Amino acid sequence: MNIRKISLSLLLLSTTFSFAQTNPEIENKIDEILPQLTIKEKVALCHAQSKFSSPGVSRLGIPEIWMADGPHGVRAEINWDNWGYAGWTNDAITAFPALTCLAATFDPDLAYQYGSSIGEEARYREKDVLLGPGVNIYRTPLNGRNFEYMGEDPCLASTMVVPYIKGVQKNGVASCVKHYVLNNQELWRGHINVEVSDRALHEIYLPAFRAAVMKAGVWSIMGAYNQYHGQFCCHNDTLLNKILKEDWGFDGVVITDWGGAHDTKQAALYGLDIEMGSWTNGLTSSVDLAYDNYYLATPFYDMIIEGEVDESVLDEKVRRILRLIFRTAMNLDKPWGSLNTEAHQKTAYDVATNGIVLLKNDSIFPIARDTDMKIAVIGENATRSVILGGGSSDLKAQYEISPLVGIKNCYTNAAITYAMGYSSGSSAYGCVNEAKEDQNKLLEVALETAKNADVVLFVGGLNKNNHQDCEGADRTSYNLPFNQDSIIYKIAQVNPNIGVVLVSGNAVATPWIDNVRGVMQAWYCGNEAGHAIADVVAGVVNPSGKLPFSFPIKLEDNAAHSFGKMSYPGDSINVEYKEGIFVGYRWFDTQKIKPAFAFGYGLSYTQFEISDVAVNRKEYLREDSIEISCTLSNTGAVDGAEVVQVYVGKSKSKVERALKELKGFKKVFVPAGQQQNVKIKVPISDLKYYDEDLADWKLEDGKYVVYVGNSSDNISEKLSIKVD
C-alpha cells in the first residue's frame, strides 16, 4: 500500500483554503496530486457519471462534483440517469424571483443578497456548482428563455451579475454563469450558427461574461448550445481558448450545457473541461455504460493513449477541475448552509417588490389597503403557479403565494371576487393547446364579475408553457396568448376602472393600453409573488422597478426583427445579427423609433426631480474617471426610491455609434419632501469601443455627451466633456 497516497488523501480532507483566485497553496497541492492520477482517473474527472454529477477519485479522497440547476432556486433532486424527479421529501426550497425581476431592481446590493441566499440553500443541499446565473442579452422578445436573463443592456447585466456571483461563491459553491455565448434564441438553439460582427460580440454579448470572470472571479462557465464561426460554443477555440482563458485569464472550469459536446478532438483541444449530458437523455435513448461513451470519456482516453492528443491537454483540464473541487467540496472553510429561512423569504420578497415596474397609472394605483370596495380579480395568472415549468428553472418551493391569495390577505375589508376569464388549457410542462374549458363561458363569467365590481385587477400575461416563457422553444406571437387582448378590451367596456398586472418575463404587445387605467409588469416573483404584488398595488411598497429591456409597440420595431428572417430567426442553419451593436434602446434612440415603454422606465407613487447635474471637470485623460453628481429630490408625499441613470454618447465619432449607452446608475431612497446628493463614477476606459482592425479596445479622443435621467427616453440634463 502506498503510504504517501494515504497521507495525501488525509491532507486533502483536513486542509482549509481561502476563496482567493489562484491560491498558491491550492496550486501546490494540485502539483502533488497530478502525478498520482492514472490517465483513466484523469479522463473520468472530465465527464459526467450521472445527470448532475461528475466523479472524483475515491482512493485519493477526491470527492465528486455535484451540480444543480438554479438561477432562481436550487432545483429538486433529479434521478441518477433520467430527467425524472427523485421524489425526495426534503428538497423543497425558496423560490426567488426570475432574473428579469432582479435586473429590474437596478440594485446591486439586492443582487448580492439574492446570490448569498441562493448560495446558502445550495450549500445546505450539498451542491458544489450552481448552474446560474444567465446573462445572455435580450435581443428579441420572442426568446423563450429571456426570463432567466438580465435584460438588453451589457452595463446593467455586468453590474448585476458580479454581486450575484460573489454572494453565491462566498458559500463555497461555484456559480456557473451561462450560456456562453450568443444563445439569444431557443428556436434551433442546438445547432444554429450565429454570424455577428466582432464589435457587437465584444460590446454587447460578451461584457457580462467578462465581468463575471474579471470582476467576480467566477469559478465555472457553461457553454451555449449554438455555434459561432461554425464551431459549437461548448468547444470553440476562439471563445474558450482565446477570449475566455487567454485574454480574460479565466482559471475555472468550462462545463457543457447538457448534450452540448459534439466531437471528441474539438472538445479536447478547444477549451472544454467537463462534459455533461451527452449520449443518453434517459428518456428516449440509452446505452450500456453511457457515461464511458461520452466524447471526453473512452474516446478521449483512446486519443491520448494513441498519441493523437498530448497528455498535457488532459492535465490542464484536470488542474482546473481539481482547483474547482478545492474551492468547493474540499474547502472546510465554507460556511454552513441554510434552507427556507425567514431571511431568504425576505430576500425573495424584497427583490420582488423592488423589481415590479409600474408602467401606467391613471390614478388607479395605489388602491388603499383599508378599502371596502368590491375588487374583481380576473385572469388565470392570479391563481396559476409561477415557479413550475419553464424548463431547467422549474422549482419545487416550500410554498407559493398566488396573486389572488396575496390580494385577499392584503385587502381584508374589501369584497374580493375572482373569475378565471380564460384558460391556457395545458399543464406547466405541456404544449399550448386549445383549452378544454368553454372559453366563452369563462369570458361570460368574467364580464359579469367585472360589471359588479368597483375596480378590476386583470392578472394576465404569459406562463411557462412551451412557446411562452420556456426553455426549448420561442414565442410564436408578440401578443398576449389565449385571446387576452380581446378579453381586456371587453372588460374595459363593462368596467373602465381596470388595472392590468402582467405576469411574464418578456415584453408583450399592449394594444389595449389606452383602454385601461393602470399597468404593472410583475414578472415571475417566486414564492412571495402574491404578497409582493398585493403590497405594491396597495402602496405598502412604493414601486421602484425599472424595465431592463424595451417594450416595442409592434414586433417589427425591434431591431432583430426589422431586418427580416435571416436576422431572426434565421434559415435554421445560420442567423445573422444584422443590427450589430444596435440592440434594444440603442436601436430605438438611433432610429428615432418610439417604444411602448423604454429601457430604464418605471413610474412611482411619488414624484422625483433630478437637478444640479454636474461633472467634476470638463476635460479628462485616459486614466481618469468622470464623477457625475446631481441632486435627487422627492417632491411628492410618499417615501420612495429612484434610479439615477447615466448614459454617454460620442458626437462626431469616427465609427458608427448609438446615440447613447448606459455607463452607470444608482438606486437611491429619498423620504418624501427630502433630497439626496448622488454621485456616480464612470471610468474613462468604459468609453472605449472595440476596434475590429486592432482586435482590441480603443478610446476615441474628443467631445462626449453625458446624459443624466431616470430612463433612456427621459433625460433631465445633457453635459459635454472632452477626452484627450
Side-chain angles (χ1 to χ4, degrees):
M1 183 176 290
N2 190 325
I3 302 299
R4 173 177 163 75
K5 291 179 180 177
I6 294 177
S7 299
L8 175 59
S9 174
L10 294 173
L11 178 63
L12 293 178
L13 294 174
S14 63
T15 305
T16 60
F17 302 99
S18 74
F19 297 127
Q21 295 297 95
T22 46
N23 184 308
E25 193 174 357
I26 289 178
E27 301 307 307
N28 290 337
K29 295 300 176 188
I30 294 173
D31 288 338
E32 291 184 45
I33 296 168
L34 277 171
Q36 300 193 58
L37 295 170
T38 67
I39 293 177
K40 279 196 173 181
E41 287 171 335
K42 287 189 284 190
V43 168
L45 292 172
C46 297
H47 65 83
Q49 65 173 359
S50 74
K51 279 299 174 191
F52 281 91
S53 71
S54 58
V57 183
S58 58
R59 70 181 182 88
L60 295 181
I62 299 172
E64 304 161 323
I65 296 174
W66 282 91
M67 308 175 191
D69 282 320
H72 312 134
V74 187
R75 194 177 183 185
E77 292 299 324
I78 302 294
N79 287 330
W80 182 265
D81 195 30
N82 64 54
W83 289 108
Y85 283 108
W88 289 20
T89 58
N90 62 347
D91 56 349
I93 45 76
T94 303
F96 297 92
L99 291 188
T100 43
C101 182
L102 177 63
T105 70
F106 275 66
D107 190 336
D109 292 336
L110 273 179
Y112 179 81
Q113 196 59 46
Y114 189 122
S116 176
S117 298
I118 198 172
E120 287 172 0
E121 301 219 345
R123 176 75 277 133
Y124 183 89
R125 290 272 304 279
E126 298 185 346
K127 303 303 179 187
D128 304 305
V129 179
L130 185 73
L131 303 174
V135 291
N136 293 97
I137 291 296
Y138 188 111
R139 180 175 179 256
T140 163
L142 298 189
N143 181 14
R145 216 163 180 183
N146 278 334
F147 72 100
E148 291 188 48
Y149 302 142
M150 295 191 183
E152 72 185 23
D153 183 74
C155 174
L156 175 63
S158 298
T159 303
M160 297 296 286
V161 74
V162 169
Y164 179 111
I165 291 169
K166 288 183 176 179
V168 170
Q169 293 188 169
K170 77 167 189 176
N171 293 285
V173 175
S175 188
C176 185
V177 68
K178 61 186 187 181
H179 303 90
Y180 184 77
V181 63
L182 300 167
N183 186 182
N184 306 111
Q185 64 188 69
E186 290 297 285
L187 179 62
W188 304 319
R189 67 174 183 175
H191 63 271
I192 195 79
N193 180 59
V194 177
E195 297 180 10
V196 62
S197 70
D198 285 350
R199 189 169 169 212
L201 175 68
H202 285 270
E203 291 189 19
I204 304 296
Y205 299 101
L206 286 179
F209 291 99
R210 185 174 186 267
V213 172
M214 302 189 73
K215 293 184 178 180
V218 73
W219 295 340
S220 61
I221 279 183
M222 182 188 292
Y225 280 127
N226 52 281
Q227 298 183 65
Y228 167 70
H229 279 181
Q231 287 183 354
F232 284 97
C233 291
C234 284
H235 36 70
N236 188 292
D237 195 30
T238 300
L239 295 176
L240 299 179
N241 287 336
K242 174 63 171 68
I243 296 174
L244 180 64
K245 294 182 175 180
E246 182 181 331
D247 294 350
W248 298 350
F250 176 64
D251 70 351
V253 169
V254 175
I255 302 171
T256 61
D257 204 338
W258 270 229
H262 297 269
D263 179 87
T264 294
K265 192 163 187 177
Q266 289 188 28
L269 298 178
Y270 294 163
L272 178 61
D273 299 311
I274 297 180
E275 178 189 358
M276 301 296 295
S278 300
W279 278 96
T280 173
N281 59 20
L283 295 174
T284 59
S285 65
S286 186
V287 295
D288 292 338
L289 301 175
Y291 300 105
D292 289 336
N293 287 307
Y294 274 33
Y295 295 104
L296 284 186
T298 300
F300 185 30
Y301 174 83
D302 292 342
M303 278 189 169
I304 293 169
I305 293 300
E306 294 165 6
E308 192 172 348
V309 174
D310 194 87
E311 190 176 350
S312 63
V313 172
L314 172 62
D315 286 346
E316 199 268 342
K317 298 181 191 300
V318 173
R319 176 175 292 278
R320 290 174 179 273
I321 294 166
L322 291 174
R323 188 181 293 133
L324 176 66
I325 294 172
F326 271 117
R327 288 168 168 169
T328 57
M330 288 204 299
N331 193 317
L332 301 186
D333 260 353
K334 58 182 177 283
W336 295 102
S338 56
L339 195 69
N340 290 313
T341 66
E342 289 185 8
H344 295 170
Q345 292 157 12
K346 184 178 186 304
T347 295
Y349 173 85
D350 288 345
V351 171
T353 51
N354 276 270
I356 291 173
V357 183
L358 182 59
L359 297 177
K360 177 179 179 178
N361 191 21
D362 183 11
S363 302
I364 187 173
F365 300 125
I367 302 170
R369 193 172 190 174
D370 59 357
T371 185
D372 59 0
M373 291 193 303
K374 296 177 182 177
I375 301 176
V377 180
I378 296 174
E380 187 188 61
N381 277 358
T383 56
R384 187 183 181 91
S385 173
V386 299
I387 62 172
L388 297 176
S392 60
S393 65
D394 178 73
L395 294 175
K396 176 182 177 181
Q398 189 180 55
Y399 68 92
E400 180 179 6
I401 306 298
S402 70
L404 180 61
V405 169
I407 290 167
K408 286 182 174 180
N409 289 344
C410 181
Y411 291 99
T412 55
N413 295 329
I416 309 294
T417 55
Y418 173 66
M420 195 172 184
Y422 67 92
S423 172
S424 61
S426 57
S427 71
Y429 304 103
C431 297
V432 180
N433 298 317
E434 188 65 31
K436 294 179 181 178
E437 291 86 354
D438 186 334
Q439 299 283 20
N440 291 329
K441 181 65 175 178
L442 291 175
L443 175 58
E444 181 182 318
V445 173
L447 293 176
E448 190 65 27
T449 303
K451 190 184 303 181
N452 295 321
D454 297 312
V455 62
V456 176
L457 292 177
F458 182 86
V459 186
L462 306 176
N463 61 38
K464 293 185 178 178
N465 278 351
N466 194 27
H467 295 298
Q468 294 191 60
D469 284 323
C470 185
E471 179 180 358
D474 284 350
R475 296 166 64 191
T476 57
S477 172
Y478 183 46
N479 287 85
L480 290 174
F482 318 119
N483 208 31
Q484 289 178 74
D485 292 334
S486 175
I487 293 170
I488 293 172
Y489 280 125
K490 291 176 180 177
I491 292 173
Q493 289 173 0
V494 301
N495 192 334
N497 199 27
I498 177 174
V500 174
V501 178
L502 293 171
V503 175
S504 75
N506 250 316
V508 298
T510 56
W512 34 259
I513 191 69
D514 293 333
N515 298 76
V516 302
R517 290 183 57 195
V519 183
M520 281 186 185
Q521 177 60 40
W523 315 112
Y524 299 115
C525 284
N527 55 6
E528 284 291 320
H531 288 153
I533 291 170
D535 283 353
V536 173
V537 168
V540 176
V541 177
N542 190 351
S544 62
K546 300 287 184 176
L547 287 180
F549 48 77
S550 310
F551 274 52
I553 293 175
K554 57 184 185 298
L555 193 59
E556 293 75 20
D557 291 343
N558 171 274
H561 292 268
S562 69
F563 287 96
K565 176 184 174 182
M566 280 307 299
S567 181
Y568 176 86
D571 62 1
S572 83
I573 305 300
N574 297 296
V575 60
E576 302 173 16
Y577 287 15
K578 294 185 177 183
E579 73 279 12
I581 63 169
F582 295 102
V583 176
Y585 68 89
R586 290 167 168 79
W587 174 256
F588 290 102
D589 278 356
T590 308
Q591 297 296 318
K592 298 181 180 179
I593 298 172
K594 181 176 174 57
F597 302 105
F599 171 83
Y601 171 84
L603 300 174
S604 172
Y605 295 149
T606 191
Q607 295 80 45
F608 292 98
E609 182 179 294
I610 297 173
S611 61
D612 304 322
V613 179
V615 293
N616 52 331
R617 61 182 191 274
K618 295 291 186 180
E619 296 190 6
Y620 298 87
L621 299 176
R622 295 168 182 268
E623 64 271 15
D624 291 340
S625 290
I626 313 166
E627 184 176 85
I628 300 96
S629 61
C630 67
T631 300
L632 178 65
S633 302
N634 183 340
T635 60
V638 182
D639 298 347
E642 178 63 292
V643 180
V644 178
Q645 302 166 36
V646 174
Y647 299 81
V648 180
K650 177 74 176 73
S651 60
K652 297 181 181 178
S653 176
K654 297 175 184 177
V655 295
E656 192 175 38
R657 290 181 185 258
L659 177 69
K660 61 183 184 294
E661 298 176 335
L662 184 71
K663 295 299 179 183
F665 58 87
K666 183 171 286 188
K667 191 167 195 173
V668 183
F669 177 82
V670 186
Q674 297 186 29
Q675 60 186 35
Q676 294 280 356
N677 293 322
V678 180
K679 293 183 178 180
I680 298 172
K681 280 192 174 183
V682 176
I684 291 294
S685 58
D686 285 359
L687 307 185
K688 293 179 178 180
Y689 71 93
Y690 189 81
D691 189 314
E692 294 182 337
D693 293 331
L694 292 176
D696 203 355
W697 294 89
K698 183 176 182 179
L699 181 66
E700 190 175 4
D701 292 343
K703 178 184 173 183
Y704 288 79
V705 180
V706 177
Y707 302 79
V708 180
N710 66 354
S711 72
S712 61
D713 69 344
N714 189 33
I715 300 302
S716 299
E717 189 146 357
K718 296 187 290 185
L719 299 171
S720 293
I721 63 169
K722 183 180 180 183
V723 175
D724 186 5

